[in-house]
C-alpha cells in the first residue's frame, strides 16, 4: 500500500514552517521529498527549546518527518548545478525563497520550465505579485498583523493579539500543498507543469474576510463588517463550577433544548432568541445567558445534561490534556518511534485516511545533510565527485 | 482559460463552513459544484446579520460563490433517487453529514462505489472512525475547545479563548479540498475513486501539536510542551506612540540590527539574546525589550527605522483597514459584482494563481434551489417529471 502521491518527487527549498508543512503534507501522502538545506540548515532546527542533539528541535522534527535532507551551498556553482540536476528529474519544486532570489539563481519558473517542462513550480511568497509588498520578507506575526487575524481579537476584546501558533504560515502551507495537488491533477491531463504563486497575505486576508466581511459584503454596506457571534467577548470556553466547557446550541431545536436544560424555558418565547437570525443579532445577550447558566454546575454535570438533551457540547482540553485524550488514544493519534539519532520520540498520526492506500514507511526527520551522499549518488555523481563537493563545501553533511 | 479542476463534477452535501469552504475551493479552481440543499437550506444562509433578501447572508454569499444550488428532500424516495443520479455522474462527493446518516440513506462509500466506481467520496467528520466521539456532531467551537486551540490562549494569557473565526471548520475544509486533489491525481493513474475521511478534531490536534509538542516531542520529555515564543503574553502587535506595529527580528542579523535600531547595542552581547536558541529560551525577556522600545516612537517612525535596518516589521490592520489596504488594492484583491438578486456586492479574489489557467466565469452565490430545474434537466428529467417532484416537495425552489 502507498499514499496517493506515491512516486511524486518533490524538491523542497523551504525553511521555518510555511514551506515545511506544505512538503510534510506531500510527504505524508507518499511523495519522495528531498529537503535542500543551505549551510547552517533550516533555522527551525534551532527555534524551539528542548532538543537532545544540536539542530534537532522538537518543532523541526514534527514538521520534517518523511523527508530526506541534502546539504547544498547553491551559492557555489557545483552546488547550484546539483540543485538543477535534482530539479531536472523532479515533479514538484516548493520554495519560499523570495522571487528576486530565485531569479538571481536561475530557479524561477521560466528557467526551470525550459529545463523540465513537467515541473510544477510552487512559490510560496509573503505578498503576491503586483502589489507594493511583493518581494518583501515576512514572518508569520507580520502576516497575522496585516491580514486581520490580530484584528479579530481587537474587535472581540479591545486589544489586537496573535493566535499563539504560526497560524498564517501553517494555513498557507496547507494551501500550498492543496495547490500542488490540483496542479498534479492537471498535469496528468496536459502533460506540462505550471507555476503556482501562493501568497500568505492574500490567502489570510481571504480567510479572515470570508468570515468577517459580513454586512459589508454588500455595497453600500448593510451594516458593520464582522460576524457578531464570533466577535463577542464571551465567545470562549465558559467557566463551570470546576473547570471549562463549550456549548453550541445553534439551530432552533438545540437552542430550545438548551433553554429547557438550564431551567429557563421562558427564553424560548423571548424575541431575541426565537430564530437563528435573531440569536445572531443578539449574540452578546445569548452568550451572557450561557455564561450565567454554566457557572452553576460542574463540567461533568453539564456534559451529562447536554448529552441527554442532544445539545452540542464538549469538554475543554489544555495542551497537555491532548496527550491523554481518550478519543485520540482510541484512534491511535500518538505513535512512538525510535528515532535513529534522537531516541524515543512521540509523533502525531496523519489525520486523514485514504481508502486507496496510505504511505506505510515513516522516515525519521533528518539530521542536517544526512542524505547528502545518498541523493548525490542518485543523481549519478561518483564517489570522487561527491568527495570533491564535500571538500569545497558545495555539498555538506552536518553543521560546519 | 480554465482552472486546474476544469471538468470535475462535484456533488456538495454540506452546510455551514467546513464543507462549503472545501467545495468553494474546488469551485474557484474550475470544478462544477452542485450544492444540494435540504428543505430550509444551509443554515449559514441565516447565521449572520445584514442580508438584503431572506436566506442570503453575506457570510453565505462569501462561502458559496461559483456553485449551483438544487433543492432536494432526500428523505423522499424521488429526492434520494435524484441525489443518486447526480452521484452516478459525479467525480467527487463532499459531505459533512454524519456517517450513520449517510449509511441510512445509502450514501456511504460502499454503496456509492458500487454505483460509480470512479467517485471520490470525501467525508468530513467531527471525529474520526475508531474513537469514542465518532458519529457525534460538533461545531467549530467544540473542536477549538477540544483540540488545544483554546488551550494555547490559556497558556499565553491565563484564560482559554477561541480564535474569533470558525478556524477549525475553515482549516479542515481547506484540508478536505487538498485531500480531494490528491485523490483526483491518484484516480488519473488508477481509474478508480476512493473514500477519504477528514476528521476535524484529529486535523486540529495535529495542527496544534505540530507546533506545541515542543520538548514533549521526546519521550521522556526534555522539558514542558509549548513553543515559548508563541505563548508569551507579549506575542502580539505592540503598542507604539500612536497605534500598533509588529516587528519580528528572528535570525542573528535581524536581532542585532534591531538592538542597534532601538539604541541598545549592548544587548548584542547579552547571553540571553546571542543566538536564536537563547532568544527562544528567553522569549518573555526578548518580548519585553520590544514592548519597551516600541512605546517610544510612532508607528511610521519605527517602520522607517526598521525598513532602513532591514528588520522584518509590518503595520497592523484592523478588519476594516483591509478594505483600503494599498497592497491588496494593487493586486486586485477586491472585486465588485452585480449579483442578480442581491445587488452590488464585494468579493475577494482567489488568492492563488496558476499559470496554466484560472477559472474565468464567476457564478454568483445561488439563492436556495435556484438551479433545481436546470440540474434536474441535466439529469434527463422531463418537464412533467420535474413538475411532479416540485409538487411533491421531493425537489423545491426557494424557502417553503
Amino acid at each position: 500500500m502507498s499514499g496517493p502521491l506515491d512516486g511524486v518527487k518533490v524538491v523542497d527549498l523551504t525553511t521555518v514552517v510555511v514551506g515545511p508543512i506544505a512538503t510534510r503534507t506531500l510527504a505524508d501522502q507518499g511523495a519522495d521529498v528531498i529537503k535542500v538545506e543551505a549551510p547552517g540548515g533550516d533555522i527551525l532546527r534551532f527555534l524551539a527549546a528542548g532538543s537532545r542533539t544540536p539542530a534537532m528541535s522538537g518543532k523541526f522534527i514534527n514538521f520534517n518527518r518523511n523527508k530526506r535532507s541534502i546539504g547544498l551551498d547553491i551559492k557555489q556553482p557545483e552546488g547550484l548545478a546539483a540543485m538543477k540536476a535534482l530539479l531536472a528529474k523532479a515533479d514538484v519544486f516548493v520554495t519560499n525563497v523570495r522571487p528576486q532570489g530565485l531569479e538571481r539563481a536561475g530557479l524561477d519558473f521560466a528557467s526551470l520550465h525550459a529545463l523540465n517542462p513537467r515541473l510544477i513550480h510552487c512559490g510560496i511568497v509573503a505578498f503576491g505579485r503586483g502589489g507594493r509588498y511583493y518581494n518583501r520578507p515576512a514572518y508569520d506575526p507580520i502576516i497575522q498583523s496585516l491580514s486581520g487575524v490580530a484584528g479579530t481579537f481587537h474587535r472581540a476584546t479591545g486589544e489586537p493579539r496573535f493566535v499563539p501558533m504560526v497560524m498564517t504560515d501553517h494555513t498557507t502551507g496547507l494551501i500550498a500543498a492543496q495547490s500542488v495537488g490540483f496542479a498534479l491533477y492537471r498535469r496528468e491531463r496536459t502533460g506540462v507543469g505550471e507555476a503556482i504563486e501562493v501568497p500568505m497575505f492574500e490567502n489570510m486576508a481571504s480567510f479572515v474576510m470570508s468570515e468577517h466581511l459580513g454586512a459589508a459584503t454588500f455595497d453600500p454596506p448593510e451594516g458593520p463588517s464582522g460576524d457578531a457571534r464570533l466577535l463577542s467577548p464571551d465567545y470562549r470556553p465558559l467557566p463551570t463550577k470546576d473547570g471549562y466547557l463549550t456549548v453550541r446550541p445553534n439551530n432552533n431545536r438545540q437552542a430550545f433544548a438548551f433553554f429547557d436544560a438550564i431551567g429557563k424555558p421562558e427564553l424560548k418565547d423571548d424575541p431575541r432568541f426565537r430564530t437563528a437570525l435573531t440569536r445572531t443579532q443578539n449574540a452578546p445577550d445569548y452568550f451572557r445567558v450561557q455564561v450565567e447558566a454554566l457557572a452553576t454546575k460542574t463540567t461533568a454535570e453539564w456534559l451529562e445534561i447536554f448529552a441527554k438533551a442532544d445539545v452540542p457540547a464538549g469538554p475543554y482540553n489544555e495542551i497537555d490534556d491532548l496527550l491523554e485524550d481518550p478519543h485520540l488514544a482510541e484512534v491511535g493519534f500518538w505513535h512512538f518511534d525510535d528515532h535513529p539519532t534522537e531516541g524515543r520520540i512521540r509523533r502525531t498520526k496523519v489525520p486523514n485516511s485514504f481508502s486507496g492506500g496510505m504511505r506505510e514507511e515513516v522516515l525519521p526527520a533528518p539530521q542536517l545533510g544526512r542524505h547528502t551522499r545518498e541523493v548525490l549518488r542518485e543523481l549519478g555523481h561518483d564517489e570522487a565527485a561527491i568527495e570533491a563537493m564535500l571538500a569545497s563545501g558545495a555539498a555538506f553533511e552536518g553543521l560546519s
Side-chain angles (χ1 to χ4, degrees), chain A:
Chain A
M1 297 281 271
S2 55
L5 303 187
D6 183 50
V8 174
K9 285 188 171 300
V10 178
V11 175
D12 174 6
L13 186 69
T14 73
T15 56
V16 198
V17 169
V18 67
I21 186 61
T23 54
R24 187 191 86 182
T25 302
L26 303 174
D28 282 348
Q29 296 306 341
D32 174 20
V33 174
I34 297 171
K35 182 178 178 80
V36 179
E37 295 191 73
D42 184 347
I43 192 174
L44 192 66
R45 291 180 173 279
F46 308 93
L47 278 182
S51 54
R52 281 183 175 156
T53 73
M56 289 295 279
S57 71
K59 197 154 183 168
F60 177 82
I61 290 172
N62 296 334
F63 282 105
N64 290 282
R65 67 182 178 218
N66 285 331
K67 304 177 189 174
R68 297 187 288 164
S69 167
I70 178 173
L72 283 182
D73 182 357
I74 64 173
K75 290 181 179 152
Q76 297 194 33
E78 292 82 8
L80 185 59
M83 179 76 187
K84 289 187 178 168
L86 278 173
L87 289 164
K89 290 183 173 185
D91 297 289
V92 178
F93 179 40
V94 181
T95 182
N96 63 340
V97 172
R98 282 185 265 173
Q100 61 190 13
L102 291 178
E103 274 167 35
R104 266 199 307 268
L107 300 177
D108 55 293
F109 173 68
S111 305
L112 294 178
H113 189 68
L115 178 71
N116 176 0
R118 287 179 57 82
L119 186 71
I120 292 163
H121 186 291
C122 179
I124 304 170
V125 293
F127 305 102
R129 191 179 300 262
R132 64 185 59 193
Y133 302 151
Y134 185 61
N135 261 319
R136 279 215 205 165
Y139 290 107
D140 174 81
I142 292 172
I143 303 298
Q144 292 206 37
S145 181
L146 273 168
S147 65
V149 172
T152 63
F153 293 91
H154 204 159
R155 288 277 287 273
T157 68
E159 188 186 58
R161 260 214 95 69
F162 300 137
V163 176
M165 295 189 274
V166 291
M167 176 194 167
T168 73
D169 265 10
H170 205 142
T171 305
T172 308
L174 290 168
I175 292 170
Q178 174 197 86
S179 301
V180 166
F182 295 166
L184 280 167
Y185 170 71
R186 172 148 64 185
R187 197 191 63 174
E188 288 298 304
R189 323 193 89 190
T190 63
V192 293
E194 61 185 299
I196 313 170
E197 183 186 82
V198 182
M200 291 176 64
F201 180 30
E202 287 87 333
N203 270 290
M204 293 313 301
S206 174
F207 192 116
V208 172
M209 297 312 277
S210 292
E211 300 211 18
H212 284 300
L213 200 48
T217 301
F218 304 95
D219 185 54
E222 293 289 315
S225 68
D227 182 328
R229 294 174 309 147
L230 310 179
L231 297 173
S232 164
D234 289 321
Y235 183 67
R236 55 190 168 92
L238 297 178
T240 62
K241 247 180 162 169
D242 64 344
Y244 293 93
L245 176 153
T246 294
V247 62
R248 191 62 163 165
N250 226 1
N251 63 32
N252 275 0
R253 189 197 56 69
Q254 295 159 352
F256 296 168
F258 173 76
F259 292 139
D260 284 334
I262 64 172
K264 301 215 168 180
E266 69 276 13
L267 293 179
K268 292 186 276 187
D269 294 321
D270 189 314
R272 292 172 299 167
F273 306 138
R274 234 183 260 152
T275 69
L277 180 60
T278 61
R279 287 190 296 274
T280 296
Q281 287 164 337
N282 297 286
D285 291 358
Y286 189 39
F287 282 118
R288 282 323 293 174
V289 169
Q290 299 175 21
V291 169
E292 282 160 25
L294 291 192
T296 62
K297 294 187 199 296
T298 66
T299 298
E301 286 167 347
W302 279 125
L303 285 175
E304 197 185 327
I305 290 168
F306 292 144
K308 276 191 191 139
D310 207 11
V311 172
Y316 162 67
N317 276 335
E318 295 196 44
I319 292 176
D320 287 339
D321 294 335
L322 291 170
L323 305 180
E324 309 297 337
D325 181 90
H327 176 86
L328 292 182
E330 285 155 5
V331 300
F333 185 78
W334 295 111
H335 292 260
F336 289 90
D337 295 336
D338 289 313
H339 190 288
T341 57
E342 308 309 308
R344 190 171 151 92
I345 63 164
R346 186 188 271 271
R347 171 172 56 84
T348 60
K349 174 189 179 180
V350 174
N352 305 303
S353 64
F354 289 75
S355 70
M358 300 281 290
R359 179 180 186 127
E360 288 186 345
E361 186 201 19
V362 176
L363 293 181
Q367 286 189 307
L368 177 57
R370 186 173 179 83
H371 305 94
T372 299
R373 288 169 190 267
E374 176 181 308
V375 174
L376 290 174
R377 272 185 215 117
E378 287 172 12
L379 284 178
H381 286 51
D382 63 23
E383 297 303 309
I386 292 170
E387 293 303 333
M389 284 183 74
L390 292 168
S392 71
F396 60 89
E397 301 169 295
L399 292 166
S400 56

